[in-house]
Amino acid sequence: MNKSILIHTKNTPHTLQAKFNQENIIEFDYSNSEYKNIDEYISNTTIEALKNKKIDLIYIKDNLSASYLELYGLRVAYHVRLTTELKFVPIVILSDLDGYTLNKLEPMARIIFTKNVFIEPNSTKTIEKFQDKVFSEFNENNYKNSFLDLVRVDSPENSTNHSIANKWAIFKWASSLKCESEVIKKNQGEIENQLYFKYLKALHKHQDNKLKDIIESTKEGKVLLMDDEWDKGWTDILKTALTKDGLEFKPFITNYKDRDDFNDLTYKKIANENPDVVILDLRLLDADHKNEDKEDIDNYSGVKILQKIHEINSGIQVIMLTATSKSTILEKLYEKKILGYIKKEHPDDKSIDTVENINKFVRLVDKGLERKYLKKVFLIQKELLVLPLLQIEFSFNMDENDKKLLELKNTISKIFETLDSNIPRPFIYGMLTLYKCIETICDYFIYEYYDKTDKKQKAYWRSSDKLISNNGNASVNNKTRNILRLLEINENDTIRLIDELSCSRNYEIHPGEIKPACQERVILKPNETHIIPWFELIKTILNKIGK
């Protein structure tokens, strides 16, 4: 006789039970257990008991509770098929109903149409029928076609897309990154116990591509995580993904609930932390999950926090985390000036490859940290635009000085936008914008007049109509040096910065032509290390003018 196991709840004939040794009978008693759900009970009791036995055949009574309609026996059969150690063992469902009726009562009854699963009467004759039965071949080669493709397991009742995506994404990311913290192990345990996730694991095992290399982070800076699931595994996972020395990663620790002071609390936290990159979940509060598919994204807590971040400093780079797969919502997120988004992998979204998703995340963080200089640009611009000197509004009767100050104000207001844009060569355009500021400052103090005797333009102080030093040399470089002396800004480094900016601008306008005086000053490929000091120079000049 086959090495057989009987699973029942004292609802099979005594003559049938007598066909089994006592140690080969598993009594199912979920009603008196301490487990919070049926899948935990099955996984931790029934399946664990089966794994410890050598089995050729499993008999399962279709109903294993006081309610016939619960049909827990079918659920046990699914757990068996989705357990690695038991997946190919033949199963006989003992029932007082035929297969047609059973299918009308419970969709999970479709398992009886899969390989080596049978529905038979709840009688001793069934045991005798299968006593010496030879079963058809069932293995990894036909597991997908003969089982997975023929069944479907629905997500648990009362679960949301957000909660499912979180659990599944945490599992997939942790597995790929080999992250094994206690929190991750807890999530893993929940995944392993739930029938829905067992089914997903089996499906994805047959769909996943070959393992790819996971890239490492390369930039330094401060990264802040804002996610209501920060303590469910995301903190440990993202710490594992962001391994660069000098990269400081931390979560925003709070209880994310519906609360009136949440925005203010977040504002203070971000202002105090001063992160370079914020990883921000789209839906942080309970209210966000009441209608997960609403497309009016302005009411999502994550978008409101994004607006707060931009108020503090638009240079802080934001990467949005989201469980949504709706393209309309994702497109609208880009309109809110985010660096990019990472989709939490919902099991139904077959377009996401886990390793590629992790690598996209690491690249986005690197890009965000590379752009952290924009925080400084934003602060300088913000500081300048509130100077009393620049509180100029347009009017038709403006004098020349006010016109120049208004022009300067408008030019300064474009610097952050230029550097934060996706235009090619933003540093070049940023340099040209800063140079325009210098030109306007020169025009504020100095005017030019054509000298017919010397046949060239000469520069004069507006306040006195006197030639500026160096015989009125009208080059921007000479005019700026005169202004620096007038304002008593005589640091050597300031002169160097003026020379750099002027020479670099001239090289860009006349490529290939570098004057002898610019040989050691021209910057061929300006970047943030040049932009910030040049902008600081303009701030120094305007602060002096204001005083």
Side-chain angles (χ1 to χ4, degrees), residues 319 339-342 359-368:
I319 300 168
L339 183 65
Y341 65 81
I342 296 295
N359 287 343
K360 177 185 176 183
F361 167 75
V362 174
R363 290 189 189 100
L364 277 175
V365 171
D366 272 355
K367 182 179 179 181

Side-chain angles (χ1 to χ4, degrees), residues 382-425:
K382 185 177 181 180
E383 183 179 340
L384 292 180
L385 291 176
V386 297
L387 287 175
L389 179 73
L390 297 181
Q391 302 315 299
I392 305 293
E393 299 297 333
F394 174 79
S395 68
F396 289 104
N397 58 351
M398 297 175 72
D399 63 25
E400 285 303 312
N401 279 352
D402 283 351
K403 286 181 181 179
K404 291 301 175 186
L405 290 176
L406 182 60
E407 181 183 354
L408 181 60
K409 176 183 177 180
N410 291 336
T411 305
I412 289 172
S413 68
K414 295 185 175 89
I415 292 172
F416 177 82
E417 181 183 352
T418 299
L419 293 168
D420 190 40
S421 68
N422 292 319
I423 60 173
R425 306 168 75 214

